Amino acid sequence: MPEVANRKADTLGDAHEVQKHGFDLGVVVGDLAFEDDSDSDDISLEGLQQELEDCKNDNVVTNILAKGTSLREYAKGVENNVREDELESIQDYIKESDNLVSLHNQIRDCDSILSQMEILLSGFQAEIGSISSEIKSLQEKSMDMGLKLKNRKVNGEYMRTLEILSKKLKYVETDPMIKASRALKDVQPELERLRQKAVSKGFEFIVQKLYALRKPKTNIQILQQSVLLKYKYVVLFLKEHGKEVYLEVRGAYVDTMNKVLSAHFRAYIQALEKLQLDIASSSDLIGVETRSSGSLFSRGREPLKNRSAVFALGERHNILKEIDQPALIPHIAEASSQKYPYEVLFRSLHKLLMDTATSEYLFCDDFFGEESIFYEIFAGPFAVIDEYFNSVLSNCFDAIGLMLMIRIIHQHQLIMSRRRIPCLDSYLDKVNISLWPRFKMVFDLHLNSLRNANVKTLWEDDVHPHYVMRRYAEFTSSLLHLNVEYGDGQLDLNLERLRMAVDDLLVKLAKTFLKPKDQTVFLINNYDMILAVLKEAGTEGGKTQQHFEELLRSNISIYVEELLLEHFKDLIRFVKTRAGEETTSNSENPVTAAEVEPLVKDFSSRWKAAIELMHKDVITSFSNFLCGMDILKGALTQLLLYYTRFSECVKRIGGGSSLNKDLVSIASIMYDIRKYSRTF
């Protein structure tokens, strides 16, 4: 092909040169002449007749013969026409020389490309041949591996084979006659090799399955129940016929689960720490003055609802109703920006611990036939939880939260008891034992804050309930509520100590008021508030409630007397000292009309105004409106009793009838009393 292309290129080059310098057709062709063919005498005429017959029907020949034209002349004309056509063809070729050169170059390029493709395809062909050979080799290897896998597969049939082997081994070991037989000596080596092979294969298989437990995001319980338990007989075989290997398997499982569960609980605790809501600090105590319980700026950053939770139970007790709910999922709670008091996180952590421990305890008992393995596995998780719990507990000053945790632990102990799973008994007891001393320590801080309170800094010139007493009421109410179903005598004793400290402090605060009536009003307001908080919590206050009810009644009686003395001092003194004496002239010191006339006229002139003043005094003095109205009603009732006795005394006096016109009728007084009752 290259030689042909070169010849074509030379021809095209010459044609291009001719076109460039001009072309003389006459010079190239010369004269066209036909000489007579006089020397053709030897030409054979054989077949002429046949040719004439063939040409008889030819139109060209017929036309020449008809015209009488000489054949030689006609042939010469034809020859000239052919030569002219040839020259025209050459001219056309010369005109298309550029295109032909371009075509030649393209053909040459194509030839080069095709040559490269030929080389490439040849290489592909060789590689395909090699790949085909490799595929055939891989196919053979795959078949070989499949056969080996089938031989090594541990399935139900293999388990049954292990059982048969185990029976034979036990039979040989336990029967004295078999041990002494010659037949055993013949098969003993083979039997031992079978045992070693089964032990080795079982060890490799179980350890391989155990490694799956270490993979991240593995559902351990599902893997245990759906995979490992199916092969528990392999472990039993190792335990009976390969003790050393069994101990290795056991150790591998203990090590794996210890690390895996420790890591899981550590990660869960780290996630829970982000959700913790701090409730109380060491300065959040009942008897600490508000202004000195922390810096102004630090308190300003704390939400009010969190501060109130220091002493009030609020909705926090709902955690005891949700004791068996699933554990918190930290990332969901964090996504919603929720924060929780520590007892919520405490319950969630221990709920996860209980469920994990229950599952692991049952699995270990079923898979290994040993309960003791559980405690080796959970040594790590217990250490992780203890470290976290102790760090939180040492900084916890939330007495309500601590008591809630004590109740949560108690409920968890009941749950584990119902499950009949004893594996957490000692751990839960240890946590409970840790919580009580901490609660007692925080409780004593509150108690000492009341005992050592500075009355001067706490006192406010206001007879309304003191904030320290409200703290005490909420705190006591919360603890009483949490003790309803438990009847903890130790807690009752502590609350009794706290009540005594509050009584003492409240009396000291009352004495800072100068007027006795203000002191009494202050005590009544605080006793009433304490009782209202206790009753609002819906708890049976017991001795604490009875104590404050007695104090409230006592101080109301004192206040009523003080209020009546303030407005009707002379009348009350007369009733108490003279109304019971004889009014006849025979007595040593008879009551006379002149003695009682000023009292009658004084009462008649201002009793309504005095009652209205009493009403205003009560309204402004007592925070609890209903309590104030009860006190007013009691005061008016006592006034009515005094005045009734006074009226009866006046009527018994000689000449006392002259004072009847100035005496106020009992009906009028009762009407006014009922008027205040209807109004309020």
Side-chain angles (χ1 to χ4, degrees):
M1 289 179 66
E3 293 177 358
V4 174
N6 291 334
R7 287 198 298 270
K8 289 180 180 179
D10 294 339
T11 303
L12 292 172
D14 293 341
H16 185 68
E17 189 68 26
V18 170
Q19 187 181 27
K20 180 178 179 181
H21 297 288
F23 179 75
D24 190 349
L25 186 60
V27 174
V28 176
V29 178
D31 295 331
L32 297 174
F34 292 91
E35 296 180 355
D36 293 339
D37 190 9
S38 57
D39 298 328
S40 58
D41 294 339
D42 296 334
I43 296 175
S44 174
L45 298 178
E46 185 179 355
L48 179 59
Q49 184 64 35
Q50 182 62 39
E51 292 180 6
L52 290 174
E53 288 294 330
D54 293 338
C55 294
K56 183 168 64 173
N57 296 326
D58 189 287
N59 292 332
V60 177
V61 175
T62 303
N63 188 29
I64 292 172
L65 293 175
K67 290 180 181 180
T69 306
S70 172
L71 289 175
R72 189 175 296 279
E73 292 177 357
Y74 186 80
K76 185 177 181 180
V78 170
E79 186 74 21
N80 288 333
N81 290 337
V82 170
R83 180 59 58 86
E84 289 175 0
D85 289 340
E86 183 180 3
L87 293 174
E88 290 177 359
S89 177
I90 291 172
Q91 288 292 341
D92 291 339
Y93 186 84
I94 292 171
K95 290 179 182 179
E96 297 296 330
S97 60
D98 290 339
N99 292 334
L100 291 172
V101 171
S102 176
L103 178 62
H104 171 70
N105 292 334
Q106 292 177 7
I107 291 171
R108 185 171 57 189
D109 293 341
C110 287
D111 185 59
S112 175
I113 292 171
L114 289 172
S115 297
Q116 295 176 6
M117 290 182 66
E118 182 180 10
I119 296 171
L120 185 62
L121 290 173
S122 298
F124 283 163
Q125 185 177 11
E127 290 180 4
I128 289 172
S130 175
I131 291 172
S132 175
S133 176
E134 290 179 5
I135 290 174
K136 185 177 180 180
S137 175
L138 289 173
Q139 187 177 13
E140 292 175 354
K141 289 181 180 179
S142 177
M143 292 175 65
D144 184 51
M145 290 176 67
L147 182 60
K148 290 181 179 179
L149 179 61
K150 184 177 180 181
N151 293 334
R152 294 174 61 87
K153 190 173 183 180
V154 177
N155 51 22
E157 183 179 354
Y158 184 80
M159 299 292 187
R160 289 189 291 272
T161 304
L162 272 185
E163 290 181 19
I164 294 171
L165 177 60
S166 178
K167 289 178 182 178
K168 293 183 181 297
L169 290 170
K170 289 179 181 178
Y171 179 68
V172 167
E173 292 171 358
T174 57
D175 193 320
M177 294 181 63
I178 295 296
K179 286 185 177 181
S181 67
R182 293 184 178 181
L184 177 61
K185 294 180 180 179
D186 293 337
V187 299
Q188 183 72 41
E190 292 300 326
L191 195 60
E192 178 61 19
R193 277 197 292 271
L194 279 175
R195 185 194 69 81
Q196 292 179 355
K197 185 65 177 178
V199 167
S200 175
K201 187 173 182 179
F203 172 76
E204 293 176 0
F205 177 78
I206 292 297
V207 169
Q208 183 183 12
K209 295 298 181 184
L210 295 183
Y211 283 151
L213 295 170
R214 300 185 179 184
K215 294 181 180 178
K217 299 182 180 180
T218 298
N219 191 315
I220 295 173
Q221 283 76 23
I222 290 179
L223 185 62
Q224 288 174 335
Q225 299 299 322
S226 61
V227 178
L228 292 178
L229 282 180
K230 292 194 301 184
Y231 305 107
K232 65 179 182 179
Y233 187 77
V234 177
V235 175
L236 178 60
F237 182 87
L238 295 177
K239 190 175 184 180
E240 293 177 344
H241 304 290
K243 192 66 176 180
E244 293 181 359
V245 173
Y246 166 76
L247 292 176
E248 289 187 38
V249 171
R250 184 183 185 279
Y253 181 78
V254 169
D255 182 64
T256 297
M257 291 305 297
N258 187 303
K259 292 178 179 177
V260 169
L261 293 178
S262 297
H264 283 183
F265 277 100
R266 187 175 291 107
Y268 189 72
I269 287 170
Q270 289 173 352
L272 288 181
E273 287 178 329
K274 300 177 182 178
L275 305 177
Q276 184 171 339
L277 176 66
D278 293 328
I279 298 294
S281 66
S282 58
S283 60
D284 292 316
L285 302 173
I286 296 175
V288 174
E289 192 215 343
T290 302
R291 292 186 294 270
S292 64
S293 60
S295 68
L296 175 64
F297 300 104
S298 64
R299 287 293 178 229
R301 291 195 297 268
E302 293 187 15
L304 181 60
K305 62 179 182 180
N306 297 348
R307 301 284 303 124
S308 63
V310 175
F311 309 105
L313 182 61
E315 300 297 322
R316 294 172 69 182
H317 70 280
N318 288 337
I319 191 67
L320 298 177
K321 301 176 183 178
E322 304 165 356
I323 198 70
D324 210 16
Q325 292 295 311
L328 284 174
I329 302 176
H331 70 270
I332 294 178
E334 188 175 2
S336 59
S337 300
Q338 288 183 282
K339 298 286 185 179
Y340 301 93
Y342 180 69
E343 69 268 10
V344 176
L345 309 184
F346 179 84
R347 183 210 70 87
S348 186
L349 175 61
H350 284 81
K351 169 63 175 173
L352 180 64
L353 175 63
M354 286 195 304
D355 292 345
T356 305
T358 298
S359 175
E360 190 63 31
Y361 179 82
L362 293 174
F363 174 78
C364 290
D365 186 42
D366 195 4
F367 192 66
F368 290 99
E370 295 184 43
E371 296 180 1
S372 60
I373 193 174
F374 169 86
Y375 300 99
E376 297 178 43
I377 292 170
F378 266 76
F382 283 155
V384 171
I385 296 173
D386 283 345
E387 181 183 1
Y388 168 62
F389 177 65
N390 291 333
S391 67
V392 173
L393 194 62
S394 61
N395 293 297
C396 181
F397 295 91
D398 179 13
I400 305 298
L402 288 166
M403 183 52 63
L404 281 168
M405 286 187 273
I406 291 171
R407 300 312 181 209
I408 288 169
I409 283 295
H410 178 76
Q411 292 296 323
H412 283 170
Q413 287 174 321
L414 294 179
I415 291 172
M416 295 302 288
S417 177
R418 287 194 294 269
R419 292 180 182 180
R420 297 185 178 181
I421 304 294
C423 59
L424 291 182
D425 288 354
S426 59
Y427 171 79
L428 294 177
D429 286 341
K430 183 181 72 173
V431 173
N432 191 45
I433 291 172
S434 300
L435 285 168
W436 271 109
R438 184 66 189 183
F439 171 79
K440 181 65 166 54
M441 188 274 287
V442 175
F443 188 92
D444 286 346
L445 289 177
H446 287 288
L447 179 62
N448 292 329
S449 72
L450 292 171
R451 289 175 174 174
N452 303 325
N454 189 329
V455 176
K456 292 182 179 179
T457 58
L458 287 178
W459 183 75
E460 297 175 348
D461 191 10
D462 187 354
V463 296
H464 292 89
H466 199 278
Y467 62 86
V468 168
M469 298 303 119
R470 174 164 290 279
R471 290 177 184 173
Y472 162 77
E474 292 175 344
F475 186 74
T476 299
S477 175
S478 300
L479 294 179
L480 285 172
H481 184 89
L482 294 176
N483 200 36
V484 169
E485 298 180 4
Y486 301 91
D488 194 313
Q490 186 64 37
L491 182 58
D492 288 336
L493 289 175
N494 285 323
L495 289 174
E496 181 69 14
R497 293 165 61 214
L498 193 69
R499 182 195 60 73
M500 294 171 64
V502 162
D503 281 345
D504 184 57
L505 177 61
L506 192 56
V507 170
K508 290 179 180 178
L509 288 171
K511 288 181 178 179
T512 55
F513 292 94
L514 299 178
K515 297 180 180 179
K517 191 181 79 168
D518 288 344
Q519 296 177 8
T520 306
V521 169
F522 177 75
L523 291 172
I524 291 173
N525 277 327
N526 282 279
Y527 293 146
D528 178 68
M529 180 271 299
I530 291 171
L531 286 169
V533 172
L534 291 175
K535 293 176 181 178
E536 184 182 0
T539 60
E540 291 293 334
K543 293 181 179 179
T544 301
Q545 185 170 324
Q546 292 175 8
H547 173 77
F548 286 110
E549 286 175 346
E550 291 174 2
L551 288 176
L552 179 63
R553 285 194 296 268
S554 173
N555 280 274
I556 286 176
S557 298
I558 294 172
Y559 174 78
V560 166
E561 287 297 317
E562 290 174 346
L563 184 64
L564 292 175
L565 286 171
E566 184 177 336
H567 295 282
F568 304 102
K569 180 178 180 181
D570 293 336
L571 186 146
I572 292 172
R573 183 182 296 118
F574 175 84
V575 170
K576 288 183 176 181
T577 58
R578 303 278 287 159
E581 297 181 1
E582 290 292 333
T583 57
T584 61
S585 57
N586 295 329
S587 62
E588 296 181 1
N589 188 21
V591 178
T592 63
E595 183 180 355
V596 298
E597 182 178 6
L599 297 176
V600 171
K601 291 182 177 180
D602 178 68
F603 185 84
S604 175
S605 64
R606 64 182 187 85
W607 71 276
K608 287 188 177 181
I611 289 177
E612 181 61 29
L613 288 174
M614 289 167 59
H615 169 253
K616 290 181 179 179
D617 195 354
V618 168
I619 289 295
T620 56
S621 297
F622 299 103
S623 304
N624 186 343
F625 180 79
L626 295 178
C627 178
M629 290 303 100
D630 287 341
I631 291 172
L632 178 62
K633 184 178 179 180
L636 295 177
T637 301
Q638 185 64 34
L639 175 63
L640 182 62
L641 292 174
Y642 280 136
Y643 191 73
T644 299
R645 290 179 62 190
F646 177 72
S647 298
E648 292 174 350
C649 179
V650 171
K651 291 176 182 179
R652 293 196 307 269
I653 297 174
S657 58
S658 61
L659 300 175
N660 287 343
K661 65 180 185 303
D662 294 321
L663 281 174
V664 179
S665 67
I666 301 300
S668 297
I669 297 175
M670 291 183 66
Y671 176 80
D672 266 46
I673 292 175
R674 285 195 295 269
K675 181 178 68 175
Y676 281 105
S677 299
R678 288 194 299 270
T679 304
F680 302 104

